[in-house]
Amino acid sequence: MQVGIEQCSVVVPTVGRPSLDVLLDALAQAPGPRPAELVLVDDRPTGEPLRPERPGLPPVRVVRTGGGGPARARNLGWRTVRTEWVAFLDDDVVPDPDWYQRLAEDLSDLPADVAGSQGRVRVPLPADRRPTDWERGTAGLATSSWITADLAYRRAALAAVGGFDERFPRAFREDSDLALRVMDTGARLVRGQRWITHPVRPVDRWVSVRVQAGNADDVLMRRLHGPGWRERADAPLGRRPRHLAVTAAGLAAVGLAAARRPRAALAAAAAWAVGTGEFAWARIAPGPRDRAEVGTMLATSAVIPPLATWHFLRGAVQHRRVRPWRGLPDLVLFDRDGTLVRDYPYNGDPALVTPVPGAREAVDALRVRGVRVGVVSNQSGVARGLITRAQVDACMARLDELLGPFDTVQVCPHGPDDGCSCRKPAPGMVKAACAELDVDPARCVVIGDIGADVEAAAAAGASGVLVPTPVTRRAEVEAAPRRAATITEAVEQLLAGEW
């Protein structure tokens, strides 16, 4: 099926670097049809609001994460859009003038089994000298696979795998991990014909030392995808085995010297010096070899092997029991009485609608992470003649004033003997909410205070969390697959990917 660019949203995570203005200027000045919207995800903990407005841009929306890192920022971006496609751009790239047109062509008529389309990247290097170590490293982006500097995904494919794994704390490996999980579903990723330029950003001399933290992320990749992950992600091993050997030689030299074995210590120290010198020369030789570059390479080459080894070992400990990423649910449905508000049986008075402690904060915590929320409520008092539907609607309106807005509200007015398919524990309301919002029930969670709530979730193919109250029967508590002491704890579990 042909897809127009109006069925695509552009998501740009940013920390407010000056390069963002260059990107926005390029997007504003480019000819061609515009996508549905441009979502800027401000990933700064604090700071003045971004001011992206300029003529020529698509409709712009700014959302904030509070500083959760690039994976969380991209997740918030795609969760807040409703288009079929989501195109990710980094805030330090410059799209070609025909980028909009090429994006539309790249996404048009793609087979249903294609879940993503990667743009092409050029990295300009100096023409008057040989590139530095950092410039050569950045140039590797031009041949990297599945990097989100410019990568468009079907929104449904992102939802199916839970989006980016937020356990990757930096802009490293989180895009490769996502690509492997998407392809594990049987989908394909292809390369398009659109181009961006990725300039080499200025850095200080110690940047190569800081990026060694990525060795811990490599351990996480192996834990999640097995020993063959590098071949699948087109990620070469690099020098880590040599770094381990150099580090071992250095530690041996120190240990042998402390044990008063000078000859053995000298031999180990010589091995360390040879290994460090070889590493430094491997970085110096292809570069400009000026004083600044040589000094930086000598200083950092002595530090990188032990630091890389440390981060590798840290990752081995930190990720030893890691489980596959499930992400956040796409939709959380709350029971009303006893879960969101205090339970007054057959209540028809809006003045008695009183949120339970933590309800406002819990619902808001989901919203700020881009998770949609709704209400599914049995109201058999209507069938029993104890309250009217108008009173139910008035109480729901009051609930919306106190805790809303909700993305969906489902009410069953039937009695236990009416034989309807909507009254919990029947799955009707859960299925209707998912259908209304185009959410796979497998990506939905129902939070309630009695067994009927979790049973309705299971019957619909969703997950259930029981938050018991004094009226919850012991058998219901024991039968619940997942429990939480409070609504706050239940939502914290979901935000941690435990559901």
Side-chain angles (χ1 to χ4, degrees):
M1 182 178 68
Q2 188 168 359
V3 175
I5 197 171
E6 68 276 2
Q7 286 301 312
C8 182
S9 300
V10 178
V11 171
V12 179
T14 182
V15 289
R17 294 182 289 193
S19 58
L20 176 63
D21 287 326
V22 179
L23 167 64
L24 295 177
D25 288 341
L27 291 175
Q29 296 166 11
R34 268 34 182 175
E37 65 176 329
L38 169 64
V39 180
L40 299 182
V41 187
D42 188 347
D43 197 38
R44 299 172 299 170
T46 59
E48 292 295 320
L50 297 175
R51 301 190 180 281
E53 297 82 6
R54 60 202 72 196
L57 285 177
V60 181
R61 185 157 49 92
V62 179
V63 295
R64 300 195 73 158
T65 64
R72 179 175 294 183
R74 293 191 187 103
N75 280 341
L76 179 59
W78 72 259
R79 287 194 186 105
T80 62
V81 305
R82 300 292 173 254
T83 50
E84 180 180 353
W85 285 88
V86 184
F88 296 99
L89 286 174
D90 285 349
D91 72 349
D92 56 351
V93 304
V94 184
D96 276 12
D98 63 353
W99 188 82
Y100 289 132
Q101 177 183 344
R102 294 294 186 183
L103 174 64
E105 294 172 356
D106 287 343
L107 302 185
S108 178
D109 295 324
L110 284 177
D113 68 330
V114 173
S117 168
Q118 179 177 334
R120 298 179 183 269
V121 182
R122 70 173 68 88
V123 179
L125 296 176
D128 58 342
R129 60 169 174 79
R130 291 190 289 186
T132 65
D133 180 69
W134 174 250
E135 290 167 342
R136 295 193 304 274
T138 304
L141 296 174
T143 56
S144 295
S145 297
W146 322 130
I147 58 171
T148 45
D150 180 359
L151 184 55
Y153 274 106
R154 292 188 193 270
R155 191 186 184 284
L158 296 169
V161 299
F164 293 86
D165 189 334
E166 296 177 14
R167 293 170 297 187
F168 290 90
R170 66 200 116 251
F172 185 70
R173 300 302 189 213
E174 85 292 352
D175 42 15
S176 297
D177 165 74
L178 174 64
L180 295 186
R181 286 186 288 116
V182 169
M183 289 189 288
D184 283 342
T185 68
R188 292 188 295 129
L189 303 180
V190 299
R191 291 183 184 270
Q193 297 302 314
R194 63 193 184 278
W195 282 88
I196 60 168
T197 297
H198 193 302
V200 179
R201 59 185 173 88
V203 293
D204 62 74
R205 68 184 306 185
W206 299 106
V207 64
S208 60
V209 173
R210 292 194 299 275
V211 300
Q212 299 309 311
N215 283 276
D217 302 323
D218 283 350
V219 177
L220 179 55
M221 287 290 290
R222 182 183 175 90
R223 292 280 194 269
L224 293 171
H225 300 287
W229 75 269
R230 288 187 178 277
E231 289 75 18
R232 295 182 61 205
D234 192 23
L237 176 60
R239 300 183 62 98
R240 189 166 64 222
R242 299 188 207 183
H243 290 338
L244 287 169
V246 170
T247 302
L251 292 174
V254 174
L256 290 168
R260 298 183 179 180
R261 298 178 58 186
R263 291 185 178 179
L266 185 60
W272 172 86
V274 169
T276 301
E278 183 274 332
F279 178 41
W281 178 246
R283 302 170 71 203
I284 292 171
R289 303 188 195 178
D290 56 35
R291 178 176 298 181
E293 177 74 357
V294 170
T296 296
M297 294 301 98
L298 291 174
T300 56
S301 295
V303 176
I304 286 175
L307 193 59
T309 301
W310 159 250
H311 284 300
F312 173 76
L313 296 175
R314 176 178 63 82
V317 173
Q318 179 181 353
H319 302 307
R320 65 189 183 281
R321 295 177 180 173
V322 71
R323 294 182 294 179
W325 175 254
R326 194 173 187 186
L328 306 185
D330 293 344
L331 172 63
V332 176
L333 299 173
F334 293 90
D335 170 58
R336 192 189 79 175
D337 301 317
T339 302
L340 284 177
V341 299
R342 297 191 183 279
D343 187 8
Y344 295 98
Y346 309 117
N347 177 41
D349 184 357
L352 295 179
V353 176
T354 307
V356 302
R360 171 88 257 179
E361 294 78 7
V363 177
D364 282 346
L366 292 167
R367 290 193 185 103
V368 300
R369 295 288 294 276
V371 179
R372 288 184 276 184
V373 293
V375 179
V376 286
S377 180
N378 286 350
Q379 294 295 325
S380 65
V382 176
R384 300 173 193 268
L386 301 174
I387 54 176
T388 66
R389 182 58 192 256
Q391 288 176 306
V392 171
D393 292 342
C395 288
M396 284 298 186
R398 179 57 176 161
L399 177 70
D400 195 73
E401 291 176 2
L402 295 171
L403 301 179
F406 292 98
D407 296 284
T408 181
V409 174
Q410 304 290 330
V411 174
C412 172
H414 305 111
D417 301 324
D418 289 345
C420 70
S421 62
C422 52
R423 177 178 169 81
K424 295 176 291 184
M429 286 192 289
V430 178
K431 288 184 175 181
C434 291
E436 178 185 343
L437 300 178
D438 193 24
V439 170
D440 183 345
R443 303 294 306 178
C444 173
V445 175
V446 180
I447 298 178
D449 66 322
I450 61 175
D453 297 314
V454 295
E455 291 171 22
S463 299
V465 180
L466 185 71
V467 180
T469 67
V471 304
T472 310
R473 296 197 305 258
R474 177 177 295 181
E476 294 175 325
V477 176
E478 294 173 350
R482 184 174 292 277
R483 299 180 294 273
T486 64
I487 189 174
T488 300
E489 181 181 308
V491 169
E492 288 175 347
Q493 291 177 1
L494 303 186
L495 295 179
E498 300 171 3
W499 51 282

